[in-house]
Amino acid sequence: MKQQPENQQQPSLYLEVCFQNEEPRLPLHTSIVLFLLSYCECKFFKVYLVFKKPSSSESLRSQLPEHLDSSDVQSEALPQLVRDCRLPAVLDETGQLCRAGLAVVLRHIINKTIEADPSRNDVLALLGFKKTCLKACAEVSRWTRLCEIEIPSAVEEHLQNPANDDQQVPLSILTLERRLAEPVRVHNDDKIRRRKLQEQRREESAESQENLDSESGLGQSSQACDGLELRAALAKLSVDSVPALATRENSEIRKVKTADLPPLEHVFAEGLYFTLTDVVLLPCIYQYLCSLQARAAATLHHLPHLLRWYGRVQEVPGVLRAAKACGLLLSIPQAPTSGLPILSAEDNPTSLPVEEEEGREMAPEVPFVGGPRPTMTKLKENGIEAVFTPHPCPSWTLPWESLPGAINPTEGKMSNIRAVRKMQQLNNLVAMVTELARPGYTIVDFCSGTLLTVGIFLSLLKVILIENKEESLVRAQSRSAELGLKNIGFIQANLDYFTGPFHIGVALHACGVATDMVMEHCIQAGAAFAISPCCYGFIQNAVKFSFPKSKMFQDTLTSKEHMILCRFADQTAVQLPPDRRLIGKQCMGLVDLDRSWAAETHGYSVQVMTMEPESCSPKNNMLVGRLLQKRGLEVTAGQLEEAVHN
């Protein structure tokens, strides 16, 4: 088995190999990455197939594109940054920057392909209209979670236990079917819908009434609509214009009200255009359809839109070529595609809501009535009030004059006032880290880049920066290289894809539920944390937690009442009247008190304190938590509840 070379000359792509009945096989996440590599004809990476036990990839060769430069490697031989992450993962040439997780790795492959060949418009189109396809993390985007996690997981489970399925279609696949049944909204859809109406009327005038009456429910008009919408979709992948879309509609069509225009049907997973989402779904649906075999007819009548999508994807130039190179679509499952009941959005009231912008965070839409005082009074009547622990070292400061200018906020592009405030915020956070840290500790900075400062000031520590935004992480890595830092690693990933051990988690101004995600990750790792929350108005229920979080708050407030606190916790801006800012600060304290009590039930001691000076930020709270058991204290749930009440 080949081992990884020590001196890397190109980025390394690590793909998992799993085992079934003692035979190696490629899990879906690996198959998806290989399919994209083949579609993009990307040769930028050295590929390593990762085995958890001694074996060889020889039996998998038919599923590997011929152009692939691949080797086998044992999991224990992986670089530490890669070992700390879930696969797939890419390690850059320096060995200091790791990109992990399916969506992050796929987007990186696309970007590298375009960087090498800017003429690949078909590859660029995979990122979608605003280049945000599958960019939002799965914790805040139901659509990303469905495509990146739920559908691959459901199909994997089905493949491992096909006999125990009892003909039930996985819920995640039914959710996709319902999504495909919904009308499409795209940029400039008014223009496309008018052309669709014009084609429908032209067809109606060319057919006799007798033929129209004899058509089935699906009929020719639906097929004609398919023609227009599919041409619009394929036009985006071609350098040639499509005559049918360039034809100007007549005056009668232009006078039709927008509300009376026919809706656009889904062509591909996200609407009219072939995107990265279709790349992710194709290997999953292919494996699922193949596994049904003779039982297909009994199952597939529930999935008419999915089958139609499956056929359309194969019409995209390059898809069949890429699929064949990966051992996919060699025998396309035969399934009934006509005479099946077509489900509409009205038939599926539980259909997945369409997200207009994948990368955009939306505040929860709660119909607020009145201010926060009734909610605060209700809490006070139940003995719950915001409590702030005194800052343990209010005048502590970093030796900014002796630190490199590259990490000093005053050296950047921000104003002097803002730079001073940023220095004060860093003083507070690094002060807490110095209180918590010991030589040899690993500290993880979630989504801020703050620990470049810690990495210099505490050179005996190992520091890992985790950030989902590539631009921020690359900028931090560049600064680290300028400073010659060797104790800092960089990971572009969502939190769930980082699985390595660490001692302290830090986040400066973690937006909305990001604070709760960081706290949860630290609790799972048994790590201490120092977190500065931000954007309370963006707090909303997520997959792994809901609000309020603690039992005391749950027994007192409804979710709507908690959201009222969150909204008014954002009203702490300096331009607001002092009494209003005070109420905002109290709401911040109550929201963070709920968070701290929830953490304490996991054996933590948590303090909510205010940064010094308070003027360093309108969002000046800090949550500092330590795991009590690590200090030799055995704390029962009853004792924790008693401490909370006291």
Side-chain angles (χ1 to χ4, degrees):
M1 178 175 290
K2 297 179 182 179
Q3 299 297 320
Q4 178 195 2
E6 293 184 3
N7 298 320
Q8 299 178 5
Q9 300 300 319
Q10 61 184 137
S12 298
L13 172 58
Y14 296 89
L15 302 176
E16 180 184 5
V17 176
C18 62
F19 288 84
Q20 189 168 6
N21 299 325
E22 298 301 317
E23 292 295 322
R25 74 172 184 88
L26 300 181
L28 277 171
H29 275 199
T30 296
S31 296
I32 292 166
V33 175
L34 291 172
F35 175 62
L36 180 65
L37 287 172
S38 181
Y39 179 80
C40 295
E41 300 174 289
C42 178
K43 303 176 183 179
F44 191 79
F45 302 94
K46 170 67 178 179
V47 177
Y48 291 93
L49 299 176
V50 181
F51 291 80
K52 292 185 178 179
K53 57 184 179 181
S55 187
S56 167
S57 62
E58 200 57 41
S59 62
L60 304 173
R61 287 297 164 188
S62 63
Q63 301 174 56
L64 305 178
E66 290 184 3
H67 74 266
L68 209 65
D69 178 14
S70 65
S71 299
D72 301 343
V73 64
Q74 290 286 344
S75 56
E76 60 268 17
L78 294 176
Q80 188 60 53
L81 272 183
V82 177
R83 204 181 310 171
D84 286 345
C85 298
R86 290 194 180 120
L87 302 183
V90 173
L91 191 66
D92 77 343
E93 300 90 336
T94 70
Q96 285 189 293
L97 172 56
C98 179
R99 294 172 172 87
L102 182 65
V104 167
V105 167
L106 295 179
R107 290 176 59 87
H108 183 60
I109 291 172
I110 290 172
N111 288 330
K112 282 298 181 184
T113 301
I114 298 168
E115 183 181 300
D117 184 1
S119 68
R120 290 297 301 270
N121 292 329
D122 57 330
V123 176
L124 179 63
L126 294 177
L127 295 179
F129 175 61
K130 293 191 175 181
K131 310 296 182 288
T132 57
C133 183
L134 300 186
K135 185 175 183 179
C137 69
E139 281 300 327
V140 297
S141 168
R142 292 179 61 189
W143 178 242
T144 299
R145 184 171 187 84
L146 177 73
C147 300
E148 183 183 27
I149 298 175
E150 293 176 353
I151 289 179
S153 298
V155 174
E156 287 281 13
E157 183 177 352
H158 171 81
L159 294 176
Q160 293 174 17
N161 303 287
N164 300 330
D165 206 320
D166 295 330
Q167 308 297 315
Q168 293 295 318
V169 179
L171 179 61
S172 58
I173 292 181
L174 284 176
T175 302
L176 176 62
E177 168 69 20
R178 292 163 184 159
R179 172 69 178 262
L180 293 173
E182 296 173 355
V184 171
R185 295 297 302 272
V186 297
H187 181 64
N188 277 344
D189 69 351
D190 180 272
K191 188 179 297 184
I192 301 175
R193 289 165 67 193
R194 291 187 189 280
R195 288 167 188 158
K196 179 176 181 177
L197 177 62
Q198 182 165 296
E199 287 204 5
Q200 286 179 341
R201 292 188 176 179
R202 185 183 299 122
E203 181 186 355
E204 289 170 1
S205 64
E207 293 179 344
S208 67
Q209 188 63 43
E210 181 180 351
N211 288 337
L212 290 175
D213 293 340
S214 66
E215 290 298 331
S216 64
L218 186 59
Q220 291 291 332
S221 61
S222 177
Q223 294 175 4
C225 296
D226 264 2
L228 173 74
E229 289 153 343
L230 188 58
R231 288 197 304 276
L234 297 180
K236 196 172 183 66
L237 302 174
S238 172
V239 295
D240 301 321
S241 61
V242 179
L245 295 181
T247 303
R248 181 177 174 83
E249 61 273 5
N250 59 42
S251 58
E252 180 186 353
I253 298 296
R254 290 199 299 271
K255 293 177 182 178
V256 176
K257 294 181 180 179
T258 301
D260 296 330
L261 294 173
L264 297 178
E265 297 179 4
H266 269 79
V267 178
F268 298 113
E270 294 203 354
L272 287 187
Y273 305 121
F274 182 73
T275 66
L276 182 57
T277 302
D278 299 285
V279 172
V280 171
L281 294 175
L282 182 58
C284 300
I285 302 305
Y286 167 73
Q287 295 284 5
Y288 177 69
L289 292 177
C290 285
S291 72
L292 295 178
Q293 298 177 352
R295 298 174 294 158
T299 303
L300 295 182
H301 73 277
H302 296 294
L303 306 172
H305 295 90
L306 188 66
L307 293 177
R308 188 180 300 169
W309 165 85
Y310 187 70
R312 289 162 172 164
V313 168
Q314 296 174 47
E315 297 186 46
V316 174
V319 165
L320 289 179
R321 169 193 55 77
K324 183 177 180 180
C326 298
L328 304 176
L329 301 177
L330 296 181
S331 72
I332 301 173
Q334 297 298 313
T337 57
S338 62
L340 300 177
I342 304 298
L343 303 177
S344 67
E346 290 75 14
D347 297 324
N348 295 277
T350 59
S351 60
L352 187 72
V354 177
E355 296 179 37
E356 293 182 358
E357 292 184 32
E358 190 65 25
R360 179 182 174 190
E361 286 187 283
M362 299 294 291
E365 295 183 4
V366 179
F368 296 107
V369 178
R373 293 185 187 276
T375 302
M376 297 171 68
T377 300
K378 186 176 181 180
L379 289 170
K380 187 174 182 179
E381 290 172 348
N382 284 271
I384 301 175
E385 295 185 77
V387 178
F388 295 93
T389 301
H391 199 297
C393 43
S395 56
W396 190 93
T397 181
L398 280 158
W400 291 105
E401 64 284 348
S402 62
L403 293 176
I407 66 165
N408 194 318
T410 59
E411 299 294 322
K413 297 181 180 180
M414 63 180 69
S415 67
N416 290 337
I417 294 177
R418 188 180 172 197
V420 169
R421 289 175 178 168
K422 181 62 69 176
M423 292 168 66
Q424 292 168 342
Q425 295 164 21
L426 292 172
N427 286 340
N428 282 271
L429 213 56
V430 178
M432 295 301 104
V433 173
T434 58
E435 290 278 319
L436 298 168
R438 300 292 181 270
Y441 269 22
T442 295
I443 306 180
V444 176
D445 178 17
F446 296 94
C447 67
S448 71
T450 301
L451 288 184
L452 280 178
T453 305
V454 179
I456 296 173
F457 187 68
L458 301 173
S459 59
L460 296 179
L461 304 178
K462 177 183 176 182
V463 176
I464 298 175
L465 270 65
I466 301 178
E467 171 63 68
N468 189 46
K469 296 178 181 178
E470 183 175 24
E471 302 82 2
S472 301
L473 203 65
V474 170
R475 186 165 54 248
Q477 186 195 25
S478 176
R479 292 167 63 195
S480 174
E482 290 176 18
L483 298 168
L485 300 179
K486 302 298 184 184
N487 61 324
I488 299 183
F490 302 84
I491 296 177
Q492 183 193 354
N494 298 330
L495 296 191
D496 281 350
Y497 284 100
F498 174 71
T499 59
F502 63 102
H503 300 90
I504 304 173
V506 177
L508 177 61
H509 286 160
C511 181
V513 295
T515 289
D516 305 279
M517 294 164 63
V518 172
M519 287 181 68
E520 181 198 45
H521 213 73
C522 291
I523 289 170
Q524 289 176 345
F529 56 80
I531 304 171
S532 166
C534 192
C535 301
Y536 292 78
F538 283 139
I539 291 175
Q540 56 187 314
N541 293 335
V543 174
K544 293 186 177 180
F545 41 77
S546 57
F547 298 90
K549 299 178 69 177
S550 69
K551 188 176 186 306
M552 283 285 289
F553 271 75
Q554 290 170 357
D555 290 344
T556 308
L557 297 184
T558 65
S559 179
K560 177 181 174 180
E561 289 171 326
H562 180 271
M563 293 303 164
I564 292 175
L565 290 179
C566 294
R567 172 171 178 178
F568 284 92
D570 268 348
Q571 299 193 15
T572 55
V574 292
Q575 61 266 33
L576 295 174
D579 57 338
R580 193 168 176 182
R581 294 204 309 269
L582 178 60
I583 291 176
K585 176 66 174 178
Q586 291 173 339
C587 289
M588 282 173 53
L590 289 167
V591 173
D592 289 334
L593 180 64
D594 175 48
R595 286 165 158 164
S596 68
W597 283 357
E600 285 174 351
T601 61
H602 294 279
Y604 275 75
S605 169
V606 184
Q607 297 173 320
V608 181
M609 62 184 71
T610 300
M611 291 182 180
E612 293 288 347
E614 293 187 32
S615 59
C616 71
S617 173
K619 301 296 180 293
N620 52 26
N621 276 9
M622 275 197 306
L623 291 162
V624 181
R626 300 171 175 85
L627 186 60
L628 294 177
Q629 284 87 337
K630 285 194 173 182
R631 298 189 297 183
L633 299 178
E634 294 296 333
V635 182
T636 67
Q639 290 172 323
L640 288 169
E641 286 292 332
E642 183 179 352
V644 167
H645 285 290
N646 292 335

